[in-house]
Amino acid sequence: MCGIIGVIARRDVGATLLEGLKNLEYRGYDSAGFAVIRDGDGFVVRKEVGRVGQLDQYLPDAAGGKIGIAHTRWATHGPPTQINAHPHLSNDGRFAIVHNGIIENYAVLRELLEKYGVRFVSQTDSEVVAQLIAHEARNGAADPIREAVLRLEGTFGLLILDRENPNRLVAVRQGSPLLIGIGEGEYYAASDAAAILAHTRQVIYIDDGEIAEITLDGFQTHTFANEPVVHAPSRIDWEIESIEKGGYPHFMLKEIMEQPQALRNCFAGRLRPVEGTVRLGGIAPLEDDFIRRLGRLVITGCGTAWHAGLVGEYLLEELARLSVEVEYASELRYRNPILGYGDLLIAISQSGETADTLAALREARLRGARVMGICNVVGSTIAREAGIGVYTHAGPEIGVASTKAFVTQVATLAMLAIQWGRLRGVLSHVDATRLAESLEQIPNHIAHACGQSDTIRAIAEAYADTSNALYLGRGINFPIALEGALKLKEIAYIHAEGYPAAEMKHGPIALIDERMPVVVIATEDKIRDKILSNIHEIRARKGRVVAVATEGDTAIAENASHVIYVPRVPPILSPLVNVIPLQLLAYHAAAIRGCEIDKPRNLAKSVTVE
Ligand code: F6R
């Protein structure tokens, strides 16, 4: 996730900006940069791809700069390059901006500005902000920043410098966190308190829809409608370490709780329920006719990404009537797969660097198939080599166990299935609209499921000493059983197996006794009654059932030892919600067992070797 900091002081601010960026490094980033206005001779802008430390060499260039902004970038639009790094300048060199968030209507604005002769230098959505403000200024707007902000759609935390008003730092907030720090005769603005904590603990939290103008004399905040707002300062008592984890004890829990926002970012600018459509820009090079005639669609990935692929199989089969095969990348690459001209391979990878997934992608391409990626890390090898694809925009995932990457991968596959279902003429406009509306509500349902963390912790207490567990699910929730079991294995070191519920009779039932906890996904759908029968079978053998059920389903509760309720959602979207309690169950079991949650033994975040 991008991090931003701005400083206005009576002393040189270069070192403070770089120190602030270093304290934002934990958020994950791929490039960084700063801009200061130097007495007398305008902006000095320096940017680098890679570590923040590389900017240290430019510190002497910032001498004389008493006002400045800086940024760590986590690429969303355009790969991590020096040009795409922030700050961005307007063509006329008057305005410099740093941006955290996504400008959803950037393409429309960019096209419009290009018609006026504005020359864009980067591929980012953010540059449009600098160019738009300058455009408004050229058109004589009294307040060009406000005029420009009113035309932006999406999420943004912005810091803006104006060369013609070099004693003022402007901060704008809409959907991305932003605070002002009050120092001794100097002021700071930042996306995150970690950036400024070394200098002050007195802060003002700006609200969405507000603009703050900061000078050495103080600051004024007003709404986008220009109404003044007064905020009382608060004091930060946290230490940097706990801010990094958002106050949570582990990155994994922070990332679980971040899932509603990760999904909103994933949907931004793509999900258009009003028009009843989904628009995934990154797959535009796949011609409509190619998708209409698609013969074979193979999805590949490893671990959790492979589980997302399995959910995708159900989604694409059901909504787009595509025949899909899902293959472990490590298997696919060494087989003699029937993949060639007219076929498509989708490679799913959070990191975009997993060696087996990359090799499978190359193998498919070598055989003449088209390839596309679903990746989180912009500019990663798989994303670049695929050329065509969709970024999940989950933000950096630091915990080794994948959580928010998984839900955004599944959500991306759901959007893909809706878009292709419409394109292939097998999904009606009404159904597509309804699904898009339901999808848009999923972040709220996930937030609700996250709210049950304490209940789930109590359940985890009851099972934390177990050595084995079974996870059962059916249909589109069978992959969720696999994912729940994987989470428990990798972070709590409890042996767990995921099974299709009906397969239990063909073997695993022999394992069931009073010591075997069985986690059953039993939410409402057309086979819920059959799952209830499976629960009876487990109970008859004294197995202990932890059921994930739809709110209000008392019959499941009567037959389970414990029930975790989740909100009612269309069954085809239920994996997005049902996985949440399973992530939390594994997390709490691991915490109770004292495991090292964010870095489980023997595991790496990105497996770049075979
Ligand atoms: C499990 C987990 C792994 C990854 C797998 C693929 O929690 O994180 O199973 O899903 O190593 O990684 P990516 O998605 O980076 O290709």
Side-chain angles (χ1 to χ4, degrees), residues 58-115:
Y58 302 123
L59 197 53
D61 304 347
K66 297 186 170 49
I67 182 167
I69 54 179
H71 188 266
T72 48
R73 176 170 190 248
W74 167 262
T76 58
H77 295 70
T81 61
Q82 201 177 26
I83 287 178
N84 287 337
H86 299 215
H88 291 288
L89 285 182
S90 55
N91 273 177
D92 55 10
R94 177 173 166 187
F95 295 96
I97 67 108
V98 289
H99 168 221
N100 176 14
I102 296 175
I103 307 296
E104 289 175 24
N105 60 338
Y106 82 99
V108 182
L109 292 171
R110 182 172 173 140
E111 209 179 304
L112 187 92
L113 290 165
E114 280 172 341
K115 284 199 184 119

Side-chain angles (χ1 to χ4, degrees), residues 460 462-471 484-485 488-489 492-498 508 510-519 543-546 585 589 593:
Y463 297 96
D465 60 353
T466 190
S467 311
N468 298 289
L470 261 181
Y471 281 69
L488 195 71
K489 275 185 275 213
Y493 312 145
I494 296 172
H495 169 241
E497 294 205 48
L511 292 169
I512 293 175
D513 60 18
E514 65 282 1
R515 289 187 310 278
M516 176 65 93
V518 188
V519 179
R544 294 178 295 167
V545 172
V546 177
L585 194 61
R593 289 163 69 96

Side-chain angles (χ1 to χ4, degrees), residues 31 100 142 175 263 340 369 381 397 407 450 490 498 521 585:
S31 47
N100 176 14
L263 265 192
T381 311
E397 196 177 60
V407 296
C450 287
E490 64 181 338
I521 302 159
L585 194 61

Side-chain angles (χ1 to χ4, degrees), residues 302-305 348-352 354 400-402 409 486-487 490 607:
C302 301
T304 287
I348 306 180
S349 173
Q350 185 285 130
S351 61
T354 300
V400 163
S402 204
Q409 285 161 353
L486 177 64
K487 290 284 98 91
E490 64 181 338
V607 185

Side-chain angles (χ1 to χ4, degrees), residues 252 301-307 348-355 357-358 374-377 382 397 399-403 405-406 409 483 486-487 490-491 600 603-607:
M252 182 183 177
C302 301
T304 287
W306 179 74
H307 295 156
I348 306 180
S349 173
Q350 185 285 130
S351 61
E353 303 295 345
T354 300
T357 311
L358 180 60
I374 295 180
C375 296
N376 189 35
V377 179
I382 292 173
E397 196 177 60
V400 163
S402 204
T403 51
F406 175 76
Q409 285 161 353
E483 176 61 7
L486 177 64
K487 290 284 98 91
E490 64 181 338
I491 60 163
L603 287 175
K605 183 68 188 157
S606 176
V607 185

